[in-house]
Amino acid sequence: MRREFKLPDVGEGLTEAEIVRWHVKEGDAVKVNQIVVEIETAKSIVELPIPWDGVVGGLMAEEGQTVDVGAPIIAVDTAEEGGAPTQAVPTQAVPTQAAPTQAAPTQAVGEALADDMVPRPPVEGAVEPGVHGSPAPKEERQAVLVGYGVKTSATKRRPRKSRPTGQPPAGQPPAGQPPAGQPAAVRSAIVEPVVADPVPAQRAVPARVAALAKPPVRKLARDLGVDLTTLTGTGPHGSITRDDVHAAAGSAQPAAPAGEATATSWTAARGPREERIPVKGVRKMTAQAMVASAFTAPHVTEFLQVDVTETMAAVRRLRELPDFADVKVSPLLLVAKAVLVAARRHPMINSSWDEQAQEIVVKHYVNLGIAAATPRGLVVPNVKDAHELPLPELAGRLTALAETARAGRAQPADMAGGTFTITNVGVFGIDAGTPILNPGESAILAFGQVRDMPWVVDGELAVRKVTTLALSFDHRIVDGELGSLFLRDVGQMLEDPLRMLAWS
């Protein structure tokens, strides 16, 4: 029997996901729990296993396609019996607009020509050209030029006020035209008017159909003396592009005036002037979260320069210990430990604001988030109950979490429930910044680069290892005193790592 595997909700009520990569193709044999596809949700990339043994009967979604949760994505032919076989999804035909039976012959000709030259409206729910992300309207639409969307009004075109040379006086229909009172739909936006010819009325003058081309392309064709009606377009929906016009002209792109670069010369020398990147998946979720955070929580940021010479020495000594032989030890490890100790000393820094209940929720546990930059956007996986972990285990968890996130394998559960976040901007050579709170948290610490700087030690100038800490906090929860005390404690522990032992 044929079974269809439907896209599941892999975490926290997500409604859609993008097919990133298929691991199988039609005709492949699959086993239970075999990974068949990778999908990208608004939070991470997830691998999906197949729940049956069998043979792949067909892939029902392509790579790069966004699929709603619950929609079938793969069909598998299994040897099991029982259950009603599913029916293949029929191909949905593109609806066309039929001309009314009472329309005049000339109007029918105009509509037929318009259907031939203008793209037909897409199926319901599809995206119209130039209107990304919006569903196609159901009502009757009027076709317009490619690239300018689709009008939803049924407004008729205003009749032309001027008449070509040689046209008979008003009240007398010209040769080949319908009698007065009937609509002249032939004169549409895509049909050029027929110029009167001094030949007998019995000789029909064929209407010339204008090619699909945008206004800049039409101007280029006029400048180069190219007849667009003789060209076959290679652009979307058969539209004519600049390259088509240049090829027909048999010449290279026109040279720009002295001291002025044209768009075409730029394209030839450096590639396209603009690029559009769809906002989806992790990047879309990050954008929504940052906007919500920035315009919901009143942010305050404080800065502190710290002499971390002793911390850097402690990092070198930890690397030599057998307990840390299999894990990566970096200054971030001791920054994380200092944050955990300071959060225990100042619990309100590890809180959240409950708007509905009008309460501050103080959390006596720390799910420590580490911001990680990935090709698909910023993610913040967190170490659950980091406050309970010994230093070697904390180092291992931080390393594993960062590697998983950069590989795009972080699961939604890894990024849920964070209480405090550290962002290490120092790895990019940055001293400091004003980080935005992760939604649902009350504070975030930015750790800048460690570099040699002149520093006063015991009244004398010396070269020391110095970094800058930047703490952003929600001023509804954390006032200036609390934020300052927390930041001061973190700085003192990094200046003298023994304080971590004393305050733990």
Side-chain angles (χ1 to χ4, degrees):
M1 63 173 294
R2 171 160 291 193
R3 298 190 176 196
E4 292 181 350
F5 178 66
K6 299 180 179 179
L7 180 66
D9 178 4
V10 294
E12 300 188 1
L14 299 175
T15 59
E16 63 182 16
E18 178 188 349
I19 304 298
V20 176
R21 184 163 69 96
W22 284 105
H23 291 268
V24 295
K25 60 181 181 299
E26 186 174 354
D28 287 354
V30 293
K31 298 292 184 181
V32 174
N33 292 332
Q34 176 181 339
I35 301 298
V36 295
V37 66
E38 294 178 12
I39 64 172
E40 181 185 7
T41 69
K43 295 186 176 182
S44 63
I45 292 181
V46 181
E47 296 177 335
L48 296 183
I50 197 72
W52 313 297
D53 290 335
V55 177
V56 177
L59 305 180
M60 308 173 73
E62 299 178 355
E63 293 182 358
Q65 179 179 347
T66 300
V67 182
D68 293 333
V69 170
I73 59 175
I74 183 174
V76 177
D77 296 325
T78 66
E80 300 178 5
E81 297 181 357
T86 57
Q87 296 180 352
V89 179
T91 302
Q92 186 173 7
V94 178
T96 57
Q97 297 180 354
T101 54
Q102 69 274 15
T106 306
Q107 183 177 0
V109 172
E111 292 178 355
L113 290 172
D115 274 347
D116 288 340
M117 296 307 301
V118 178
R120 295 180 179 181
V123 296
E124 181 179 351
V127 177
E128 299 290 356
V131 193
H132 298 285
S134 59
K138 298 180 180 180
E139 62 268 17
E140 184 178 358
R141 292 162 290 182
Q142 175 185 353
V144 295
L145 291 177
V146 176
Y148 293 88
V150 173
K151 291 185 178 180
T152 56
S153 64
T155 306
K156 294 183 179 180
R157 182 173 297 277
R158 183 180 62 186
R160 299 180 185 271
K161 295 182 179 180
S162 60
R163 54 186 177 86
T165 305
Q167 184 176 356
Q172 180 180 352
Q177 296 290 335
Q182 293 189 3
V186 178
R187 295 179 180 177
S188 63
I190 62 168
V191 178
E192 297 182 357
V194 178
V195 182
D197 196 331
V199 296
Q202 291 79 5
R203 176 183 172 184
V205 180
R208 293 191 301 143
V209 179
L212 289 174
K214 293 184 179 180
V217 178
R218 295 182 179 275
K219 182 180 182 302
L220 178 63
R222 288 195 301 270
D223 294 341
L224 298 180
V226 176
D227 185 0
L228 292 179
T229 60
T230 63
L231 302 185
T232 300
T234 60
H237 307 289
S239 61
I240 296 174
T241 65
R242 288 178 174 270
D243 293 337
D244 297 333
V245 175
H246 286 303
S251 62
Q253 295 182 354
E260 180 181 352
T262 62
T264 54
S265 61
W266 176 291
T267 302
R270 310 181 189 179
R273 289 167 60 87
E274 295 182 353
E275 179 184 3
R276 291 183 176 268
I277 301 175
V279 180
K280 57 185 178 180
V282 174
R283 195 174 301 276
K284 181 178 181 179
M285 178 60 71
T286 301
Q288 294 174 348
M290 292 299 97
V291 170
S293 176
F295 291 97
T296 300
H299 284 56
V300 174
T301 303
E302 294 184 336
F303 302 89
L304 178 65
Q305 275 194 323
V306 181
D307 176 3
V308 293
T309 304
E310 295 301 324
T311 290
M312 300 305 293
V315 169
R316 291 192 296 270
R317 295 181 61 185
L318 288 174
R319 291 171 179 168
E320 299 172 356
L321 296 179
D323 293 340
F324 295 89
D326 298 329
V327 296
K328 180 181 179 181
V329 179
S330 70
L332 180 63
L333 173 61
L334 294 186
V335 173
K337 184 63 177 178
V339 165
L340 295 173
V341 174
R344 188 184 324 179
R345 291 167 58 85
H346 308 283
M348 284 285 287
I349 205 75
N350 191 52
S351 305
S352 63
W353 181 275
D354 189 336
E355 180 67 27
Q356 184 174 1
Q358 289 294 294
E359 295 175 342
I360 296 174
V361 182
V362 181
K363 300 173 182 178
H364 298 290
Y365 61 92
V366 181
N367 291 342
L368 185 62
I370 304 296
T374 73
R376 296 181 177 272
L378 179 69
V379 296
V380 187
N382 60 78
V383 179
K384 301 295 190 292
D385 294 325
H387 63 291
E388 297 180 347
L389 302 178
L391 199 59
E393 187 175 351
L394 178 61
R397 295 282 294 276
L398 289 175
T399 301
L401 209 61
E403 292 176 351
T404 302
R406 293 190 185 98
R409 305 296 180 187
Q411 300 300 307
D414 295 335
M415 290 174 282
T419 64
F420 191 100
T421 296
I422 299 175
T423 174
N424 185 7
V425 297
V427 296
F428 306 111
I430 302 301
D431 291 330
T434 55
I436 297 178
L437 296 172
N438 209 17
E441 301 177 11
S442 62
I444 179 173
L445 181 72
F447 174 40
Q449 68 169 330
V450 178
R451 57 195 184 98
D452 293 337
M453 290 185 63
W455 203 259
V456 177
V457 180
D458 297 331
E460 296 183 358
L461 193 62
V463 177
R464 306 288 286 183
K465 299 290 184 182
V466 178
T467 189
T468 302
L469 304 176
L471 178 72
S472 291
F473 50 85
D474 185 345
H475 216 338
R476 297 174 300 178
I477 304 173
V478 182
D479 56 24
E481 180 186 17
L482 175 58
S484 300
L485 292 175
F486 175 86
L487 186 59
R488 181 202 63 184
D489 285 359
V490 173
Q492 289 182 347
M493 283 184 278
L494 294 179
E495 286 181 350
D496 184 6
L498 285 180
R499 292 180 184 269
M500 297 183 194
L501 295 178
W503 293 346
S504 296

